Amino acid sequence: MDFVDYYKTLGVAEKATPKEIKNAYRKLARKYHPDLHPNDKDAKHNFQQINEANEVLSDPDKRLKYDQYGKDWQHGAEAQQSHQYQNQSPGSDFSDFFASMFGGNPNSGRSRQMKFKGEEYQTEIRLNLVDAYETHKQTLNVNGQKIRITIPAGIENGQTIRIKGHGGSGLNGGPNGDLFITFSIANDSKFERIGNNLFTDVDLNLYTAILGGEITIETLKGQVKLKVKPETQNGSKIKLKGKGFPLYRREGVFGDLQVTYHINIPTNLSEKQIQLFRELSDLQTITK
């Protein structure tokens, strides 16, 4: 007669509290309930083992006997429980250890009547940065059902939201499970998102960098005009407040946009342009 480690079956420690045992049982019972897995041959067997373990560990008296005799239960409890051998029905799917120690069938009565929440569903939605910038709707096909959801602006990469009641159907009148959606957002534009701030590079011609001027750049909100200060250096950064990414569920609140200037050196210069640059170089040398 094989010893069955009920604590290992439920995945709990030997000092687990009744609440921890109850929670572990409910989680595993949902996972292996045969009605949820009609094509899984092992589901029924696993479900029976889980019920058996719960029947013992959730009962203080039975748990005490189980903890007391352990693997040597047959030496200490066989005589005391011998009358229960006759109560074990032929062909029982439950362990000899359970039947000999406690008698009865752990799958009868209470476990069949217990309400089980339906299975939780998981799915992923891929968005680009522009999609995540504005609140919009999408239609999902989950287990043959179309679900229309609203995706709030500012959703984070890797963020998971729960849609209550759109998972698997409950058992014995239990509630439906929930749908968990994880968002994968790619930095696939000219902007890099870090938190709610955006970062972008802007090319600046040499003449505007030296003399100053006005340029137009793109943001996720549209075009904006920027004044460039004279003698702007390569790699200079400016911050545009409120031109970044929207904060999740905080309407009208945005992060910042940081612009880094990259100065382009002119190419294919004419002889006259080259001569002018030489003159500028000479003037620079004289002023030193």
Side-chain angles (χ1 to χ4, degrees), residues 166-183:
H166 284 282
S169 299
L171 296 173
N172 299 330
N176 290 346
D178 300 327
L179 170 64
F180 291 85
I181 304 173
T182 301
F183 291 87

Side-chain angles (χ1 to χ4, degrees), residues 273-288:
Q273 288 173 316
I274 292 173
Q275 181 60 36
L276 289 172
F277 274 109
R278 283 174 179 161
E279 292 177 9
L280 286 171
S281 178
D282 292 341
L283 288 173
Q284 182 73 10
T285 302
I286 293 172
T287 58
K288 288 183 179 181

Side-chain angles (χ1 to χ4, degrees), residues 89-104:
S89 59
S92 170
D93 289 325
F94 296 89
S95 71
D96 293 339
F97 174 77
F98 178 86
S100 63
M101 280 290 288
F102 308 115

Side-chain angles (χ1 to χ4, degrees), residues 186-225:
N187 273 324
D188 55 356
S189 68
K190 63 185 296 184
F191 301 96
E192 180 184 6
R193 178 188 181 188
I194 301 179
N196 295 110
N197 296 321
L198 294 176
F199 298 80
T200 190
D201 295 333
V202 171
D203 291 332
L204 200 63
N205 66 61
L206 179 63
Y207 311 107
T208 303
I210 293 174
L211 302 174
E214 189 175 79
I215 62 173
T216 300
I217 69 167
E218 296 287 340
T219 74
L220 289 180
K221 279 188 174 182
Q223 293 184 336
V224 297
K225 291 184 178 181

Side-chain angles (χ1 to χ4, degrees), residues 255-271:
D256 301 328
L257 170 62
Q258 180 173 288
V259 176
T260 300
Y261 287 129
H262 289 274
I263 299 175
N264 293 330
I265 303 299
T267 58
N268 300 320
L269 298 176
S270 67
E271 284 297 327

